[in-house]
Amino acid sequence: MAQEGLFDDAAAAPAGAGGKGSVPLAERLRPRTLDEVVGQRHLLAPGKPLRVAFEGARLPSMILWGPPGVGKTTLARLLAGATGAHFIVLSAVLSGVKEIREAVEQAQLLARQGRATVLFVDEVHRFNKSQQDAFLPHVEAGLFSFIGATTENPSFEVNAALLSRAAVFVLESLADAELGELLDRARATIAGPALDDAARAQLVAFADGDGRRLLNGYESAVAANPGQALLGPVQLEAALGKLLRRGDKGGDVFYDLISALHKSVRGSDPDAAMYWLARLFDAGMDPRYAARRLVRMASEDIGLADPRALALTLDAAAAFERLGSPEGELALAQAAAYLAVAPKSNAVYKAWNALREQVGRDGTHPVPVHLRNAPTALMKTLGVGAGYRYAHDEADGYAAGETYLPPHLVGRRFYEPVPRGLEQRIGEKLTDLRQRDAAVRSLVPAGGKLPAGASEPDT
């Protein structure tokens, strides 16, 4: 069975059981109603799918996919309670075929008594194919509503047959404001000490979107500082230890380490890039976060100067997911070294930023008529798509002189390749194409249109 806890654990102990001091703070704050749940408004706000299921007392089979500490088990319990169903919990880590069989038998007994069952499987991705298949006939027969919780992508980790019979709801990490709300609720519950602004920001950053981690961290800090009315960063670091002190996500140390890694890659220093990556791992940072930053660097700082950089970095991230730590860290180190030695270009990065800014301040300009889609005869009769030149039918597969931007942007250049790596060749090609455009347009009278099939003048 799943362990006790606020968001992703088993049943709550009775309030006050064994005295409040013996009941973890996270348990005391477990939501008892849907309105007490912090976060997940995209699923729980009025009219949203889980709110509708809750209010309609109709519970379909579902997969709850999200990171730890965001409310998967709590939501499953509350939804089961709304339907009056019996709630059976299985942990895929601790359960096997025997426990699955016992759960099915219990659901069958309850069904004969006229009572519905919700079967909740925590970490369902850890069940193998045969174990997951064991649920299928009972889900199809309506013996129970199946709810699986997973931190992994169900597209890869849940059998297609089971996945097709369950709605997938994606839960999100708690935002900083939501973590702050949870922290205020915790202080009120235990009449605990306040945190100054710096300590509060550190604790929220330490939680990294995980509500249970936030409450456990606060409870540890309170226990380590009895009688204190106000906790600061020093008291918090003493209670939470190495991770917060050396890898304080959201604090100066964390961002300094990430900045050093990024600038070392940009500066083409593979030794420094791997050094700062090692420092991040030593500080307790999640290697997946480092992988995400490396993928970003591949697009921001290398771009089309070496398109292989993005593919290699994605492969390194996938290798880490397959191998885990410490074996998978070597693949990330390889990616960091490759990015450092690759030719550099921020041309796509600059072009994208400029275009986002342009679109943001621009009006809603219509798509030029020749670029519009004309799937029906009526639309073609109305001239939609008229004048479009099919590039494959023209010389060298290029419709010289044609335009593809809205009229007010024709001639604007956002992407300017740098003279390094593959982008040097890209730049040469674009220069040639622009010269061909200019040659064709020079033959068109002012205000005239290029005819279909137009090509370059003879030279």
Side-chain angles (χ1 to χ4, degrees):
M1 301 294 283
Q3 298 175 343
E4 301 274 332
L6 174 64
F7 289 101
D8 282 314
D9 302 297
K20 284 189 176 180
S22 65
V23 180
L25 176 60
E27 192 56 61
R28 279 180 267 163
L29 284 177
R30 180 191 289 276
R32 302 296 192 257
T33 68
L34 211 59
D35 290 332
E36 292 180 5
V37 176
V38 175
Q40 314 312 327
R41 305 319 298 166
H42 64 295
L43 298 176
L44 300 177
K48 298 301 182 180
L50 290 186
R51 172 71 68 170
V52 170
F54 184 87
E55 293 175 345
R58 186 187 62 81
L59 192 58
S61 292
M62 65 182 73
I63 303 293
L64 301 177
W65 172 26
V70 297
K72 296 188 288 294
T73 300
T74 290
L75 286 176
R77 286 189 175 279
L78 292 173
L79 290 166
T83 62
H86 181 68
F87 193 67
I88 299 176
V89 180
L90 292 180
S91 168
V93 176
L94 303 175
S95 304
V97 174
K98 175 177 177 290
E99 287 76 17
I100 295 174
R101 186 183 303 114
E102 290 174 350
V104 170
E105 291 172 353
Q106 187 178 359
Q108 290 170 335
L109 176 62
L110 290 166
R112 288 193 291 270
Q113 298 171 356
R115 190 173 181 191
T117 297
V118 170
L119 178 61
F120 175 73
V121 180
D122 195 18
E123 300 190 81
V124 64
H125 59 277
R126 292 182 179 269
F127 271 150
N128 61 35
K129 183 180 185 301
S130 297
Q131 290 169 319
Q132 292 185 28
D133 283 343
F135 297 112
L136 283 175
H138 308 296
V139 172
E140 291 177 338
L143 177 61
F144 48 70
S145 294
F146 177 87
I147 302 181
T150 178
T151 57
E152 304 294 333
N153 189 334
S155 299
F156 306 120
E157 303 296 340
V158 178
N159 289 357
L162 183 58
L163 195 60
S164 69
R165 291 161 174 81
V168 176
F169 297 109
V170 180
L171 278 69
E172 299 173 350
S173 296
L174 300 186
D176 287 356
E178 293 165 343
L179 289 169
E181 178 186 345
L182 193 58
L183 181 57
D184 291 338
R185 192 180 296 180
R187 284 194 56 223
T189 297
I190 64 172
L195 289 83
D196 66 23
D197 290 344
R200 184 184 177 93
Q202 278 188 314
L203 182 56
V204 167
F206 168 77
D208 196 22
D210 184 330
R212 184 174 53 244
R213 194 177 191 203
L214 176 99
L215 294 174
N216 289 343
Y218 179 65
E219 190 170 31
S220 296
V222 171
N225 297 276
Q228 292 280 346
L230 180 68
L231 302 181
V234 174
Q235 290 89 351
L236 203 60
E237 291 176 11
L240 300 182
K242 178 180 177 180
L243 179 62
L244 181 59
R245 178 173 56 85
R246 302 188 65 189
D248 53 340
K249 185 178 184 300
D252 291 342
V253 173
F254 175 80
Y255 285 114
D256 284 349
L257 290 172
I258 287 294
S259 177
L261 170 62
H262 201 151
K263 289 171 181 173
S264 297
V265 166
R266 187 180 293 145
S268 299
D269 189 332
D271 296 311
M274 287 190 286
Y275 169 80
W276 293 115
L277 184 65
R279 282 283 304 274
L280 280 166
F281 293 160
D282 181 64
M285 292 297 108
D286 185 352
R288 292 175 180 81
Y289 180 82
R292 292 197 297 271
R293 293 302 296 254
L294 290 170
V295 170
R296 165 75 181 197
M297 294 174 207
S299 291
E300 179 177 340
D301 292 298
I302 288 87
L304 291 180
D306 185 351
R308 296 170 299 180
L310 180 58
L312 185 144
T313 310
L314 288 169
D315 285 345
F320 178 83
E321 290 296 334
R322 180 175 291 271
L323 298 177
S325 293
E327 291 86 352
E329 293 170 6
L330 181 59
L332 299 179
Q334 177 182 343
Y338 187 93
L339 296 181
V341 300
K344 303 299 186 295
S345 171
N346 67 346
V348 170
Y349 174 69
K350 290 169 63 179
W352 181 244
N353 287 342
L355 281 161
R356 290 294 299 270
E357 182 181 351
Q358 177 72 41
V359 169
R361 68 170 183 263
D362 236 345
T364 306
H365 295 278
V367 174
V369 172
H370 70 290
L371 298 181
R372 296 181 193 177
N373 187 32
T376 68
L378 174 62
M379 295 175 74
K380 291 176 182 176
T381 301
L382 295 175
V384 175
Y388 170 66
R389 296 163 58 199
Y390 189 57
H392 294 290
D393 289 340
E394 307 216 11
D396 298 324
Y398 181 67
E402 185 60 281
T403 61
Y404 300 95
L405 284 167
H408 72 295
L409 292 179
V410 170
R412 283 283 304 276
R413 302 299 180 203
F414 295 96
Y415 172 56
E416 295 290 352
V418 301
R420 292 184 291 278
L422 178 62
E423 278 203 330
Q424 180 169 343
R425 296 175 58 189
I426 293 173
E428 293 168 356
K429 178 177 180 177
L430 289 178
T431 297
D432 174 64
L433 295 179
R434 290 167 183 171
Q435 290 173 347
R436 294 166 67 177
D437 286 339
V440 170
R441 290 169 185 156
S442 68
L443 303 177
V444 180
K449 292 285 294 180
L450 291 171
S455 58
E456 301 171 75
D458 293 331
T459 57

